[in-house]
Amino acid sequence: MDLDGSEQDPEVQEHSPVYVGREEDIKKSERMTAVVHDREVVIFYHKEEYHAMDIRCYHSGGPLHLGEIEDFDGRPCIVCPWHKYKITLATGEGLYQSINPRDPSAKPKWCSKGVKQRIHKVTVDNGSIYVTLSNEPFKCDSDFYATGDFKVIRSPF
Ligand code: FES
């Protein structure tokens, strides 16, 4: 008999929603951190929307919860405090500016490197916030710092 759920398929367990805090608290602080099934995530509340992503930057593991949020090309991004990489809150894409070398007078354009930071799902139920880890099967660069040898879970003590 499986009274405590410990015999549940680990795959299923890993993608069940986890309570991370109260809506009223994140609305005040506009961000919070949490450990969801052994994975560190940051949750942002920005312009009345919630966004959750791996806490460590895909580039070199920088602490995204300490970054500033700015709009680039009309897209809200977290700017990593270490080397200023820009990551879209909604999709986890890495943005960069490119210049056409054949036309140096042209204005630099914002381009996407594709999804680099894993985005997780936030749900709100009766004032409680839950995060469900992404189960998108692609390999995301931020997985490197969220799993395996480079995973750093901060001790609560
Ligand atoms: Fe984030 Fe380098 S670690 S930009």
Side-chain angles (χ1 to χ4, degrees):
M1 202 187 310
D2 180 22
L3 288 177
D4 61 359
S6 57
E7 287 175 29
Q8 200 179 358
D9 179 349
E11 269 288 305
V12 173
Q13 213 169 26
E14 196 178 310
H15 299 292
S16 58
V18 169
Y19 171 79
V20 295
R22 301 288 306 164
E23 202 177 8
E24 63 199 38
D25 295 330
I26 192 172
K27 280 186 170 171
K28 274 189 224 135
S29 61
E30 298 187 335
R31 60 185 67 189
M32 63 168 59
T33 63
V35 177
V36 176
H37 295 304
D38 212 24
R39 188 169 184 126
E40 270 192 294
V41 300
V42 55
I43 303 108
F44 296 108
Y45 179 69
H46 181 70
K47 294 191 177 161
E48 301 185 8
E49 287 186 5
Y50 294 98
H51 304 278
M53 60 175 62
D54 287 341
I55 198 168
R56 299 181 71 82
C57 174
Y58 73 91
H59 174 227
S60 271
L64 294 182
H65 61 298
L66 302 179
E68 297 291 328
I69 295 175
E70 286 180 50
D71 279 11
F72 296 94
D73 208 21
R75 305 175 75 184
C77 294
I78 183 73
V79 181
C80 178
W82 280 7
H83 313 102
K84 309 298 178 198
Y85 277 30
K86 288 113 179 100
I87 302 168
T88 60
L89 291 183
T91 60
E93 285 167 81
L95 297 189
Y96 68 101
Q97 278 193 302
S98 87
I99 297 168
N100 181 351
R102 295 205 185 96
D103 182 9
S105 64
K107 269 179 71 179
K109 277 197 331 201
W110 283 103
C111 301
S112 172
K113 302 179 199 174
V115 176
K116 297 291 186 178
Q117 196 74 20
R118 194 174 281 279
I119 298 292
H120 307 289
K121 187 170 146 206
V122 181
T123 45
V124 182
D125 182 21
N126 202 18
S128 298
I129 300 175
Y130 297 83
V131 171
T132 307
L133 293 181
S134 151
N135 61 357
E136 294 288 325
F138 75 106
K139 190 177 174 316
C140 192
D141 286 6
S142 67
D143 293 344
F144 183 77
Y145 295 102
T147 57
D149 292 348
F150 288 91
K151 178 164 78 175
V152 181
I153 296 283
R154 281 169 294 114
S155 164
F157 308 108

